[in-house]
Amino acid sequence: MQVTYLESAAVLIETEDTSVLCDPWLVDGAYYGSWAHYPDPDFEPEDFDDVDYIYVSHVHPDHFHPGSLERMDDSIPVLIHDYRWDYLREAVEELGFEAIELPHAERFALGDESHIQILAADGCDPELCGNFFGCSWYDKEADQDGSTQVDSMAVIADSEETVVNTNDCPYPIAESSCKKIKAEYGDIDLLAHQYSAAQFYPQAVTNYTHEQKIEERDRVIREKHELALNFIDLFEPSYYLPFAGEYVLAGDLAHLNEYTANPPRIQAREFFEANTGPDHECVFLNSGEHIDVTTGERSAPFEPIDQDAKRRYIEDELAPREFTYESDPLPTLREFRAYVPLAYENMEGKRANIGFESDTTVLLPLVDDTCLELSMDGSGFSYTRSLDLDDYDDGWVKMDVDPRLLRRLFEGPHRAYWADAKIGSHIGISKEPDIYERGLYNALGEFHADGADVQATASHARAGSD
């Protein structure tokens, strides 16, 4: 068996009788243009049109990337987990591919000697998910199975070797699925696991100083490394490949790269080699290089990235790029005010559904020095033109978004997702007190006015004046 590292979570796994391309984010521009690769890939999506299968672990754009898949042969079957909601399947099929949904942990034959199992990160156990994400929206009366989570992991095995790909699955929420794999397969030849942070924090926190961002960056890196050690300890693999969550910010966000919790890979290798035993060999591969899982032989030695060359590439190539929304016309205050009532109603439905309540006020600057105030306790919304953060004694979260992207977020998921905008670092976040209320952001994900009536209202508002 051979495993080739491509970019971020994209790997190619080949056995004697089949090949599976995993999470092919292969071209720049994920998360509305802010996520890019370094080094610049020397391959194209079309180069992988001869693979037998594509495995997509979950919906995040650095794993399910329409821009990459649109350039590939849509006759390749796409393997996905049978999630409770059909968004991923529908999105795959919208691109023209056949989506094969695999039930939790069920074996699927890839060839005469090879098979794959896809397991939900939460082991299809809503109680596990609820411990972390508030799964009170899980419909216990429904007679269908499926995970309430957004992540999956995969086992690809033949008669000789077993490879486990945990991609973005979080520990400890994924522990039960990992233990199931270990109990079934015993020896694991190669484990591919996340080791860095694919998130907005700390680079997008606007009220942190430079020193605070550096301190939090280093803390998050250490935390992610230590969480990864749990996977290594549990699976006890012969080889382990730290990967996934690797990206570089482009455009107007390029100056934030020094704060992202994506350490140089050579530093990560030093950490893992110092904290794992001699029976587990750390494998870092340059893009396009592979390891023979049977022999451990690499196609080429790992060469660390020249950090000065990377900085020049960011400054010269990535920083000048524009985001996908920057060509939109600027919205008016009248347009925003047309969206807000239905968006608030949708958010309230979500907030009530997950049982979240807080005295924190969400502050969302619009245009014309007008700021929207959103309650998180059901008491409504209002506007202010004289924003004074000292007025919010019970706490506040301020979210600064380019008005053009904000309009897309108001228009609904078919245009832009709050979670993707946040992960892409497009939302500048400041808060007091400095705590992360997960339910607040969960509810805010439904703050949009999707629907024909509101679109017509907004179009009318666009034609009018403030």
Side-chain angles (χ1 to χ4, degrees):
M1 188 182 294
Q2 181 173 290
V3 176
T4 302
Y5 170 76
L6 299 172
E7 296 284 349
S8 195
V11 294
L12 176 64
I13 301 175
E14 299 170 280
T15 70
E16 288 191 3
D17 60 358
T18 196
S19 57
V20 182
L21 178 63
C22 303
D23 288 341
W25 171 40
L26 303 175
V27 293
D28 288 353
Y31 294 103
Y32 313 123
S34 65
W35 278 34
H37 295 296
Y38 187 82
D40 189 29
D42 61 0
F43 47 76
E44 303 292 340
E46 296 87 348
D47 295 341
F48 301 95
D49 281 347
D50 59 347
V51 301
D52 297 307
Y53 295 94
I54 296 170
Y55 161 57
V56 174
S57 62
H58 62 292
V59 299
H60 286 159
D62 54 321
H63 298 263
F64 169 64
H65 187 241
S68 297
L69 290 172
E70 285 169 349
R71 293 175 51 182
M72 296 187 65
D73 183 353
D74 62 13
S75 68
I76 305 170
V78 178
L79 306 171
I80 62 175
H81 175 64
D82 185 10
Y83 287 110
R84 184 170 182 78
W85 293 283
D86 292 330
Y87 170 77
L88 180 56
R89 176 180 61 79
E90 292 170 353
V92 168
E93 291 177 345
E94 189 173 311
L95 294 173
F97 291 84
E98 176 193 8
I100 301 177
E101 294 180 301
L102 301 185
H104 179 69
E106 185 174 295
R107 290 196 180 197
F108 177 84
L110 300 170
D112 293 337
E113 300 290 337
S114 307
H115 68 267
I116 187 172
Q117 283 179 287
I118 300 177
L119 297 89
D122 58 10
C124 289
D125 182 350
E127 294 304 318
L128 276 176
C129 185
N131 289 335
F132 292 84
F133 298 97
C135 280
S136 58
W137 65 82
Y138 181 81
D139 183 2
K140 295 179 174 60
E141 302 302 320
D143 59 356
Q144 70 178 96
D145 295 323
S147 170
T148 59
Q149 255 287 29
V150 297
D151 289 312
S152 72
M153 64 181 70
V155 184
I156 297 175
D158 58 18
S159 59
E160 299 295 331
E161 282 91 29
T162 300
V163 170
V164 176
N165 176 359
T166 63
N167 59 82
D168 281 358
C169 291
Y171 199 94
I173 203 172
E175 184 177 5
S176 63
S177 288
C178 294
K179 286 183 175 179
K180 180 178 179 64
I181 294 170
K182 181 63 176 176
E184 183 171 346
Y185 289 90
D187 293 338
I188 303 300
D189 296 284
L190 185 140
L191 165 68
H193 64 83
Q194 190 183 54
Y195 73 101
S196 61
Q199 61 188 37
F200 76 99
Y201 188 84
Q203 69 272 9
V205 180
T206 56
N207 61 336
Y208 278 3
T209 65
H210 167 78
E211 291 75 19
Q212 285 176 304
K213 288 182 180 181
I214 294 296
E215 181 179 354
E216 282 301 285
R217 177 201 68 185
D218 294 344
R219 183 191 64 78
V220 172
I221 289 172
R222 178 80 186 193
E223 178 182 89
K224 291 294 183 181
H225 286 4
E226 290 176 348
L227 286 173
L229 293 177
N230 290 285
F231 288 108
I232 298 169
D233 291 342
L234 192 156
F235 283 114
E236 301 179 304
S238 299
Y239 305 99
Y240 62 94
L241 173 67
F243 82 144
E246 298 169 334
Y247 67 97
V248 185
L249 290 172
D252 286 343
L253 302 175
H255 67 285
L256 298 178
N257 276 300
E258 66 174 312
Y259 304 119
T260 64
N262 283 274
R265 301 173 87 211
I266 188 64
Q267 291 182 13
R269 187 175 72 172
E270 291 170 356
F271 171 89
F272 287 111
E273 289 181 342
N275 288 277
T276 56
D279 295 333
H280 318 302
E281 185 175 343
C282 183
V283 176
F284 271 104
L285 299 169
N286 293 108
S287 178
E289 303 299 340
H290 68 261
I291 177 174
D292 185 314
V293 179
T294 306
T295 65
E297 183 178 348
R298 279 71 152 177
S299 57
F302 173 64
E303 295 183 5
I305 286 173
D306 183 326
Q307 294 300 314
D308 289 333
K310 180 179 179 180
R311 280 190 288 271
R312 289 193 297 271
Y313 181 81
I314 291 172
E315 293 172 0
D316 298 340
E317 174 63 29
L318 298 184
R321 293 183 182 178
E322 290 193 354
F323 300 134
T324 55
Y325 55 80
E326 290 186 310
S327 60
D328 293 355
L330 285 171
T332 66
L333 181 59
R334 188 184 180 103
E335 285 179 74
F336 281 134
R337 292 177 74 105
Y339 287 126
V340 168
L342 183 54
Y344 184 78
E345 180 181 336
N346 288 338
M347 185 189 75
E348 270 298 287
K350 180 71 169 185
R351 187 190 65 79
N353 209 17
I354 64 176
F356 174 77
E357 184 174 320
S358 173
D359 292 331
T360 299
T361 300
V362 174
L363 304 171
L364 196 60
L366 303 175
V367 291
D368 301 337
D369 297 322
T370 299
C371 183
L372 175 64
E373 301 171 317
L374 298 174
S375 71
M376 281 291 157
D377 60 5
S379 58
F381 63 87
S382 58
Y383 302 91
T384 180
R385 286 182 180 268
S386 54
L387 180 63
D388 186 346
L389 297 177
D390 291 335
D391 292 340
Y392 304 94
D393 296 333
D394 293 325
W396 53 269
V397 173
K398 183 168 177 279
M399 310 181 84
D400 293 288
V401 190
D402 184 297
R404 294 164 294 188
L405 176 57
L406 184 57
R407 177 169 55 196
R408 291 191 179 199
L409 292 167
F410 270 119
E411 289 174 352
H414 68 288
R415 291 286 279 156
Y417 287 91
W418 281 93
D420 287 352
K422 185 177 72 166
I423 295 172
S425 299
H426 294 281
I427 301 177
I429 298 176
S430 54
K431 53 192 183 297
E432 184 62 42
D434 189 12
I435 58 175
Y436 186 77
E437 297 178 273
R438 186 177 296 276
L440 182 150
Y441 299 94
N442 198 315
L444 194 65
E446 292 299 312
F447 187 64
H448 58 78
D450 199 10
D453 291 343
V454 76
Q455 296 297 326
T457 301
S459 296
H460 177 74
R462 195 174 300 126
S465 64
D466 294 336

